[in-house]
């Protein structure tokens, strides 16, 4: 504030030069500020897509899984976050798919109903469920 009070003491020509310097500085700063805001916006969009994209893919995969599609897997882009979570998720899906496939294979085999029921009960007992 004292800086501007001292500027009032300058001569008319000096005040014009001072105003021109301030205006030029403001123009330079505004341009740099707009560039900086643009870069921040681009970075924010890039980072949000690295997180929101995988969440969207997990949601789609879970929807397909809910419809009974056990062959579905969650595939993420090269630079997405949560790749380790996706790998663990896909491993769990693979295990579930194999176990259900084994049960379906048993059901298709031609063997006595008593033996089939016993084998199915044995395999189903390996699943921990709420019932």
């Amino acid at each position: 504030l004292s800086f501007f009070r001292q500027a009032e003491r300058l001569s008319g020509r000096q005040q014009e030069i001072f105003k021109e310097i301030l205006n030029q500085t403001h123009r330079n700063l505004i341009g740099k500020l707009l560039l900086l805001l643009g870069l921040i916006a681009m970075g924010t969009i890039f980072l949000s897509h690295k997180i929101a994209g995988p969440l969207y893919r997990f949601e789609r995969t879970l929807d397909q899984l809910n419809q009974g599609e056990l062959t579905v897997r969650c595939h993420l882009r090269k630079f997405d976050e949560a790749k380790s979570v996706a790998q663990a998720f896909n491993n769990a899906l693979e295990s579930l798919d194999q176990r259900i496939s084994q049960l379906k294979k048993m059901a298709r085999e031609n063997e006595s109903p008593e033996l089939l029921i016993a084998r199915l009960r044995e395999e189903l007992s390996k699943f921990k469920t709420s019932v």
Side-chain angles (χ1 to χ4, degrees), residues 81-99:
E81 293 295 323
K83 285 203 175 265
S84 61
V85 175
Q87 184 62 43
F89 185 70
N90 288 336
N91 289 345
L93 286 175
E94 179 71 28
S95 175
L96 184 61
D97 183 29
Q98 288 176 358
R99 292 172 86 176

Side-chain angles (χ1 to χ4, degrees), residues 1-128:
L1 193 57
S2 66
F3 178 74
F4 290 106
R5 285 187 198 140
Q6 291 175 2
E8 291 175 355
R9 297 181 189 159
L10 298 173
S11 68
R13 176 70 182 137
Q14 289 173 329
Q15 284 183 0
E16 287 178 28
I17 293 171
F18 184 67
K19 284 181 185 179
E20 182 58 37
I21 291 171
L22 286 177
N23 287 337
Q24 183 65 33
T25 303
H26 286 140
R27 281 190 289 259
N28 287 340
L29 286 177
I30 288 174
K32 290 177 182 175
L33 179 64
L34 291 176
L35 176 64
L36 180 62
L37 288 175
L39 292 174
I40 289 172
M42 288 174 36
T44 302
I45 290 170
F46 177 73
L47 287 176
S48 68
H49 278 79
K50 284 179 64 170
I51 296 168
L55 289 176
Y56 175 73
R57 283 190 173 76
F58 279 117
E59 182 180 12
R60 281 188 25 217
T61 303
L62 287 170
D63 285 342
Q64 289 176 302
L65 183 60
N66 193 36
Q67 295 171 7
E69 178 61 50
L70 295 179
T71 60
V72 69
R73 300 295 179 264
C74 186
H75 300 287
L76 301 181
R77 297 172 294 206
K78 184 176 180 179
F79 296 108
D80 281 344
E81 293 295 323
K83 285 203 175 265
S84 61
V85 175
Q87 184 62 43
F89 185 70
N90 288 336
N91 289 345
L93 286 175
E94 179 71 28
S95 175
L96 184 61
D97 183 29
Q98 288 176 358
R99 292 172 86 176
I100 299 292
S101 294
Q102 182 66 28
L103 292 172
K104 288 171 74 174
K105 182 180 175 185
M106 280 183 205
R108 277 190 242 120
E109 292 176 354
N110 291 331
E111 54 187 47
S112 70
E114 295 81 20
L115 182 60
L116 176 61
I117 290 172
R119 288 181 62 200
L120 286 174
R121 281 187 178 156
E122 179 185 335
E123 285 298 316
L124 288 173
S125 69
K126 295 176 184 177
F127 289 95
K128 293 179 181 164

